[in-house]
Amino acid sequence: MPPTINITYPSENEMINGTITITGTANDSDGAVQIVEVKIDDGTWNPAAGTNAWSYEWDTTTVANWRHTIYARAYDGEDYSQIAQVNVTVNNGVSNIEFILDGTIGNNGWYVSNVNVTINATGDIDYINYSIDGTWYKQNGSKVNFTLQDGVHEIICYSVYENGSIGKIEDIIVKVDTTPPSISYTLDPSFPDGNNGWYVSAVEVRLTADDGEGSGIDELLFKINNGGWEDYNGFFYLQTEGINDVHFKAMDMAGNEAEENVTLKIDKTPPSVSVEKPDGGFAKDYYEIKWNATDNVDENLDGNISIFYSPDNGTTWQEVADHLDNNGTFIWNTFLFTDSKEALIKVFAEDDAGNIGNATSPLFSLDNTPPTITINSPKGEAFGKNEYGKIILHVEWETYDAIDD
């Protein structure tokens, strides 16, 4: 069986300079490794120090800057191993490359505007080779200009002198994110569950932010009305009654910001209603009904007051008036309704959200019918005079009223 070999340093595509020690291991399962040899590119094979653990000193200044391949093989006296290889980039010398980056700096090393890149090379330069994200370009002369847009960009470049030698290779990373993140939110209930765009229950709010191919989300915040910004750590419930302005802010790692807001109207509480009149007793003719209705959100309740009458202690109800303004008083034409000694008035108030409050008066009597009187005596008989010459009449009667006992 032939021996096996591998290179442990340098690693694939590593950039190196100066004198380095190439290291590796070799093994022979049915014998012993007698020698390890190393060569650079198309050079000659040279012995390494050691066998099972081996090393080889390489002065990289003896080759030109750029890509080179290290080869290694092991020999056990009969067979050579398969050849191991590693590709490296040699980068020696003093830099003659200057990068000028013109753009607006954001956070964490990111630019938040497009970046104009200028590469200047000093010396007797024939041309510059440079790559942007792996695509290579050649520019005659000692200066290159180009613009970078959104993304994480790797720029590699080196100059070639007029005598054909290669300058030191330079490599930089330029991070550009000019686009603010996007914010989206969901509400539960997804639409107002009351009237006129009002919610009559607490609203669950969930946020998400996305930065696409940008620098990534750094912060996601929210605030309610004039409160301070708070970190969003998961969904929250908005329960504050009234008109709420809810603001959302997202910031990416580059410092770009986006804001959104939504107005949520919440009213979970029905109006408070009390009936002040009737308060018992009797009602007739044109009677003034009085009430008091208030709401902690809807300021006036105008147009949302309704009045109902029951002649049978609440079993049935008849409409008296609706869509009244909340002025606390209404003149009731009682002649249009049935007399009752078990009468009730109920006042309803509905706020803009659709919450309904009501109150019922105490029992009272509605009586627009006068009592009836029946005269039983006299009934046509003759009456004489008494001893004093006076006429004496005996009068008998009966009275009845359906309401007033």
Side-chain angles (χ1 to χ4, degrees):
M1 293 287 292
T4 59
I5 191 169
N6 68 80
I7 300 171
T8 58
Y9 176 82
S11 57
E12 182 72 16
N13 293 323
E14 188 163 345
M15 186 173 289
I16 58 176
N17 59 68
T19 299
I20 68 166
T21 301
I22 303 169
T23 60
T25 59
N27 184 57
D28 189 75
S29 61
D30 57 0
V33 176
Q34 294 185 7
I35 189 171
V36 172
E37 295 178 315
V38 175
K39 76 170 183 174
I40 307 300
D41 298 327
D42 295 327
T44 59
W45 289 102
N46 295 296
T51 53
N52 294 105
W54 57 268
S55 62
Y56 179 81
E57 296 292 318
W58 178 31
D59 181 4
T60 65
T61 62
T62 62
V63 297
N65 286 345
W66 198 230
R67 306 283 189 184
H68 297 276
T69 303
I70 301 169
Y71 298 96
R73 68 183 181 181
Y75 181 66
D76 64 2
E78 293 183 5
D79 299 304
Y80 279 100
S81 67
Q82 291 188 345
I83 296 174
Q85 69 179 60
V86 169
N87 298 299
V88 295
T89 300
V90 172
N91 191 24
N92 287 303
V94 177
S95 176
N96 70 327
I97 295 293
E98 177 190 27
F99 291 100
I100 300 173
L101 305 179
D102 184 12
T104 303
I105 292 288
N107 299 337
N108 302 301
W110 287 82
Y111 285 85
V112 292
S113 69
N114 291 341
V115 178
N116 184 49
V117 179
T118 300
I119 301 174
N120 288 321
T122 58
D124 297 326
I125 305 302
D126 186 9
Y127 60 90
I128 295 174
N129 279 340
Y130 66 99
S131 77
I132 304 172
D133 302 329
T135 301
W136 283 92
Y137 305 90
K138 177 181 177 181
Q139 176 66 50
N140 292 329
S142 61
K143 186 173 184 178
V144 175
N145 282 106
F146 54 88
T147 299
L148 297 176
Q149 298 181 340
D150 284 27
V152 178
H153 306 284
E154 181 181 23
I155 303 170
I156 303 173
C157 72
Y158 63 90
S159 61
V160 177
Y161 292 90
E162 291 178 351
N163 63 10
S165 62
I166 296 175
K168 186 178 171 96
I169 301 166
E170 297 294 343
D171 185 347
I172 64 168
I173 299 294
V174 182
K175 302 185 294 182
V176 182
D177 183 359
T178 65
T179 307
S182 62
I183 303 172
S184 60
Y185 60 86
T186 59
L187 307 175
D188 186 15
S190 54
F191 297 99
D193 51 354
N195 297 338
N196 302 305
W198 285 84
Y199 288 87
V200 293
S201 60
V203 181
E204 180 188 281
V205 182
R206 292 179 181 266
L207 296 180
T208 57
D210 181 48
D211 202 39
E213 298 297 320
S215 54
I217 299 299
D218 184 24
E219 289 185 298
L220 182 56
L221 310 169
F222 73 95
K223 73 173 182 176
I224 300 171
N225 297 321
N226 293 321
W229 288 104
E230 301 178 46
D231 289 327
Y232 176 76
N233 295 313
F235 70 88
F236 60 92
Y237 286 98
L238 182 62
Q239 305 197 53
T240 305
E241 293 194 307
I243 299 176
N244 297 282
D245 290 320
V246 186
H247 299 264
F248 313 120
K249 180 194 290 187
M251 180 184 295
D252 62 23
M253 296 297 292
N256 298 299
E257 291 186 7
E259 287 196 36
E260 296 285 346
N261 70 282
V262 61
T263 299
L264 299 177
K265 302 188 296 182
I266 299 177
D267 185 358
K268 302 179 291 183
T269 307
S272 173
V273 184
S274 63
V275 178
E276 298 177 352
K277 189 179 178 183
D279 54 0
F282 287 85
K284 65 174 184 176
D285 299 332
Y286 289 90
Y287 183 84
E288 184 180 33
I289 298 172
K290 290 185 176 181
W291 70 89
N292 183 62
T294 58
D295 190 83
N296 61 343
V297 175
D298 192 347
E299 294 182 355
N300 55 38
L301 300 172
D302 280 351
N304 292 317
I305 303 297
S306 301
I307 301 174
F308 287 80
Y309 166 70
S310 173
D312 48 18
N313 196 20
T315 301
T316 61
W317 292 92
Q318 304 165 28
E319 184 180 283
V320 174
D322 65 352
H323 300 299
L324 298 177
D325 286 342
N326 187 30
N327 54 25
T329 182
F330 176 75
I331 302 302
W332 177 26
N333 181 2
T334 66
F335 294 111
L336 303 177
F337 296 86
T338 304
D339 287 354
S340 171
K341 54 186 176 183
E342 292 185 317
L344 295 171
I345 285 292
K346 182 179 286 189
V347 177
F348 290 85
E350 180 177 356
D351 61 27
D352 286 343
N355 300 300
I356 298 175
N358 67 82
T360 304
S361 71
L363 282 169
F364 67 96
S365 296
L366 178 62
D367 189 0
N368 279 310
T369 305
T372 59
I373 302 175
T374 303
I375 298 176
N376 297 324
S377 177
K379 289 191 175 181
E381 65 267 35
F383 292 89
K385 294 182 180 180
N386 64 8
E387 59 187 278
Y388 302 106
K390 302 292 187 181
I391 297 175
I392 303 300
L393 295 178
H394 180 72
V395 180
E396 294 182 4
W397 70 91
E398 293 180 359
T399 62
Y400 171 78
D401 191 273
I403 303 301
D404 188 354
D405 295 334

